[in-house]
Amino acid sequence: MQTVFGLSEKSIRRLIWLVSVVIPLVVSVLLSLPRVDIGIDTGFIPRLNALLNTTVSVLLVVGYFLIRRRQIAAHRKVMLTAFALSVLFLVSYVIYHLTHEEVRFGGTGWVKLLYLFILVTHIGLSVFVVPLALFTIYPALLGRYANHKKLARWTFPLWLYVSVTGVLVYVFLSPYYPT
């Protein structure tokens, strides 16, 4: 049995599931806490997050085309960068929401329905991206490309949807952020 950092495969799978459950729970708890003043203006973070999501979206598409061209080393670098930027997004998202009140969309009619559809699907699918990304990256790092490829067929479109809709949520909310 192969080990990584001294952990068995079974232990790594358990760790991935633990992280996949704990992250949404911790984010939910943190977002329910009272807002705090950390002494730094974090009002720039929504724009940063939109930039991070845009970059992740581009990297995912670039990574897809790289692997289609069998440029495995470049694909690996691009996809690990996309993952790292997604982690950075999550950290900055939590920081912003710990330091600012929730921004509500002020539109009405069909635009509000469209926004709510995008928001609900974005949030709902984002919960699945964490375990999918981790379970997709893990076999690739071990050189188990058949397992990686099976999961990547699901992970890629979901992750891309979540990153693109993250940008769209920002676009919808941007007129309502405090200046």
Side-chain angles (χ1 to χ4, degrees), residues 52-71:
L52 289 170
N53 273 325
T54 300
T55 306
V56 168
S57 299
V58 170
L59 289 173
L60 291 172
V61 172
V62 168
Y64 174 80
F65 284 109
L66 287 171
I67 202 60
R68 302 296 295 169
R69 292 189 171 140
R70 307 256 188 258
Q71 296 176 336

Side-chain angles (χ1 to χ4, degrees), residues 29-177:
V29 168
L30 288 174
L31 297 182
S32 69
L33 295 175
R35 303 306 174 242
V36 296
D37 181 2
I38 60 173
I40 300 170
D41 179 15
T42 56
F44 68 95
I45 290 179
R47 286 182 299 285
L48 170 66
N49 284 344
L51 178 63
L52 289 170
N53 273 325
T54 300
T55 306
V56 168
S57 299
V58 170
L59 289 173
L60 291 172
V61 172
V62 168
Y64 174 80
F65 284 109
L66 287 171
I67 202 60
R68 302 296 295 169
R69 292 189 171 140
R70 307 256 188 258
Q71 296 176 336
I72 295 170
H75 169 79
R76 176 180 288 148
K77 288 177 187 173
V78 165
M79 297 309 287
L80 289 175
T81 302
F83 183 77
L85 291 178
S86 293
V87 170
L88 180 60
F89 163 83
L90 182 60
V91 170
S92 64
Y93 175 86
V94 169
I95 290 170
Y96 179 78
H97 287 282
L98 281 174
T99 59
H100 288 82
E101 293 300 321
E102 179 181 350
V103 173
R104 294 196 177 268
F105 180 67
T108 59
W110 69 268
V111 175
K112 185 168 187 168
L113 291 175
L114 176 62
Y115 165 74
L116 290 173
F117 174 80
I118 290 170
L119 179 66
V120 168
T121 58
H122 168 78
I123 292 170
L125 292 173
S126 70
V127 173
F128 295 103
V129 170
V130 172
L132 279 171
L134 291 171
F135 277 116
T136 302
I137 290 168
Y138 175 65
L141 293 175
L142 296 178
R144 296 181 185 161
Y145 300 117
N147 292 351
H148 169 76
K149 188 176 179 180
K150 284 179 192 175
L151 281 172
R153 291 175 193 256
W154 292 94
T155 305
F156 170 72
L158 289 176
W159 192 0
L160 182 61
Y161 180 84
V162 167
S163 63
V164 168
T165 55
V167 177
L168 292 176
V169 167
Y170 169 77
V171 169
F172 276 103
L173 289 178
S174 61
Y176 307 103
Y177 282 112

